[in-house]
């Protein structure tokens, strides 16, 4: 990654108050970018956005709902970004199942609002729309999805993210076909890392179980997912944006970011790794009630194209990802400053080969 590509560059991150958005915003700040945020109030308390002091006010952060078309357009006009990372989304399967209309409004219409604001904002040169590994029609045989796999979705969350892909493709072909603005999607696997307290995610659920002195109840312990540390896909998004800035007409339309397909593991295996990284204790038990939302049993990503185009590959294996996650939370639990801990992990990641 080229630090000079980000120094003093104006960047807008939608969803900056969320888990991935806060990590990305802090990384961009450390690279010298002028970071602007657009998103809702943080969804949890505690949250990384506040702990890392990204809520310092000023022009760096503004609470705007991506469903507010005028508010989104006004924010882009005010900050005049060169790069937009669109992360704002309804990102959890079960809440999306309970509120499908709200999910489609945020994930599909919200994406359209952001891209429509971009086409009226002459400063923008590159846009990375972050979607999900779940945009693909599931493979019944469990083989890995590459970027040419058919889009689909068996539940409101998955299909809304596939819808965001279609909206992005339509805007790219209709309004950015001349190639002066690079618009693409990044499809990442399941992420773990410090500073996540959301519901229905493995690490936060394990933290709550540890606090209560109980094993974690898993609804789908045998489900296979392409787990990775949050810094790995963020690294991919940054590299992708650089490629879009350098040569938008030749950059790919979409890229997967995930571990090698063989490295994908079950939820139970991940929890065992995390429990060991936290120092042991009771790990997990099967949940008494299954999730009402239909979920794919096996998800694997083929990130070969990202390696070929961007020379990107995961820097942390799953054991390291679990260890870094536990170290972050243990450090903050003993009183270390969350911003300093996060920046130290970013610096270590950036220095790794």
């Amino acid at each position: 990654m080229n630090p000079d590509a980000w120094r003093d560059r104006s960047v807008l991150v939608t969803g900056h108050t969320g888990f991935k958005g806060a990590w990305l915003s802090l990384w961009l700040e450390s690279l010298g970018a002028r970071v602007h945020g657009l998103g809702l109030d943080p969804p949890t308390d505690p949250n990384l956005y506040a702990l890392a002091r990204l809520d310092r006010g000023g022009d760096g952060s503004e609470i705007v709902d991506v469903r507010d078309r005028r508010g989104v357009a006004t924010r882009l006009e005010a900050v005049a970004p060169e790069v937009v990372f669109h992360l704002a989304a309804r990102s959890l399967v079960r809440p999306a199942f309970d509120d499908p209309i709200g999910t489609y409004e945020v994930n599909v219409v919200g994406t359209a609002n952001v891209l429509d604001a971009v086409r009226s904002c002459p400063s923008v040169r590159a846009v990375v729309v972050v979607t999900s590994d779940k945009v693909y029609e599931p493979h019944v045989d469990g083989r890995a999805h590459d970027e040419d796999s058919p889009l689909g979705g068996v539940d409101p969350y998955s299909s809304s993210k596939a819808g965001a892909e279609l909206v992005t493709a339509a805007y790219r072909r209709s309004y950015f076909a001349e190639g002066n603005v690079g618009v693409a999607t990044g499809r990442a696997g399941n992420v773990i890392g410090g500073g996540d307290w959301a519901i229905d995610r493995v690490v936060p659920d394990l933290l709550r179980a540890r606090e209560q002195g109980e094993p974690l109840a898993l609804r789908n312990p045998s489900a296979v997912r392409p787990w990775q540390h949050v810094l790995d896909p963020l690294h991919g998004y940054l590299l992708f944006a650089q490629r879009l800035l350098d040569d938008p007409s030749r950059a790919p339309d979409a890229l997967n970011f995930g571990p090698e397909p063989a490295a994908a593991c079950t939820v139970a295996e991940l929890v065992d790794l995390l429990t060991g990284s936290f120092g042991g204790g009771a790990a997990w038990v099967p949940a008494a009630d299954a999730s009402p939302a239909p979920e794919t049993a096996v998800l694997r990503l083929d990130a070969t194209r990202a390696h070929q185009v961007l020379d990107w590959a995961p820097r942390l294996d799953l054991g390291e990802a679990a260890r870094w996650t536990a170290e972050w939370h243990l450090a903050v639990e003993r009183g270390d400053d969350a911003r300093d801990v996060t920046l130290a992990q970013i610096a270590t990641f950036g220095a790794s080969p």
Side-chain angles (χ1 to χ4, degrees):
M1 192 166 63
N2 177 16
D4 291 336
W6 299 103
R7 191 169 295 113
D8 203 36
R9 190 181 296 278
S10 180
V11 181
L12 176 71
V13 179
T14 77
H16 68 301
T17 56
F19 168 56
K20 287 176 75 174
W23 272 94
L24 178 59
S25 297
L26 201 55
W27 196 346
L28 284 163
E29 279 191 7
S30 73
L31 291 170
R34 291 180 285 117
V35 185
H36 312 281
L38 181 162
L40 297 178
D41 288 319
T44 63
D45 185 16
N47 60 83
L48 181 59
Y49 169 70
L51 289 174
R53 298 188 292 283
L54 291 163
D55 59 345
R56 63 196 180 284
D59 193 43
S61 176
E62 185 168 326
I63 302 303
V64 179
D65 192 322
V66 291
R67 292 172 292 186
D68 178 359
R69 181 181 175 186
R70 184 182 297 275
V72 171
T74 300
R75 181 63 172 156
L76 262 78
E77 182 181 3
V79 303
E82 287 187 72
V83 181
V84 175
F85 292 99
H86 177 43
L87 279 71
R90 291 275 184 93
S91 59
L92 298 167
V93 172
R94 286 210 301 175
F97 189 79
D98 293 335
D99 181 17
I101 300 302
T103 299
Y104 290 118
E105 288 175 340
V106 173
N107 292 354
V108 181
V109 178
T111 299
N113 285 340
V114 170
L115 292 173
D116 209 59
V118 165
R119 78 185 175 102
S120 301
C121 187
S123 64
V124 178
R125 294 177 52 204
V127 183
V128 177
V129 175
V130 174
T131 59
S132 168
D133 59 347
K134 298 174 182 64
V135 299
Y136 297 111
E137 186 67 25
H139 286 157
V140 295
D141 58 3
R143 71 185 187 278
H145 297 275
D146 64 19
E147 292 85 351
D148 298 324
S149 298
L151 299 178
V154 297
D155 61 88
Y157 170 73
S158 302
S159 62
S160 71
K161 282 297 195 177
E165 289 277 350
L166 295 174
V167 166
T168 303
Y171 266 80
R172 181 173 53 247
R173 294 167 182 165
S174 299
Y175 305 112
F176 306 111
E178 295 181 359
N180 55 324
V181 179
V183 178
T185 58
R187 304 164 182 172
N190 296 56
V191 298
I192 62 173
D196 186 9
W197 285 276
I199 61 170
D200 277 350
R201 286 191 186 140
V202 170
V203 172
D205 287 349
L206 180 60
L207 290 171
R208 287 184 279 268
R210 286 180 64 244
E211 186 176 337
Q212 296 164 6
E214 299 175 352
L216 172 60
L218 295 181
R219 294 183 306 276
N220 298 298
S222 61
V224 174
R225 297 289 183 265
W227 305 101
Q228 59 189 325
H229 191 273
V230 63
L231 286 173
D232 270 319
L234 295 184
H235 181 217
Y237 305 159
L238 289 165
L239 291 174
F240 204 179
Q242 286 179 198
R243 176 55 61 90
L244 291 167
L245 286 167
D246 292 341
D247 194 356
S249 63
R250 298 181 63 185
D253 296 339
L255 287 175
N256 290 339
F257 299 101
E260 293 293 328
C265 74
T266 67
V267 177
E269 289 169 334
L270 173 65
V271 172
D272 288 340
L273 279 172
L274 286 164
T275 301
S277 296
F278 275 108
W284 62 273
V285 295
D289 58 328
S291 171
E295 294 195 49
T296 304
V298 178
L299 276 174
R300 292 186 173 92
L301 284 181
D302 181 344
T304 301
R305 193 170 299 174
H307 179 68
Q308 293 172 339
V309 174
L310 303 178
D311 197 24
W312 176 91
R315 292 187 173 186
L316 302 177
D317 64 29
L318 191 56
E320 291 170 318
R323 179 171 57 81
W324 281 38
T325 300
E327 288 176 351
W328 191 100
H329 279 282
L330 291 171
V332 172
E333 285 175 11
R334 66 174 175 258
D336 292 359
D337 182 81
R339 181 183 176 92
D340 292 344
V341 174
T342 308
L343 286 171
Q345 289 196 338
I346 290 171
T348 302
F349 182 92
S352 62

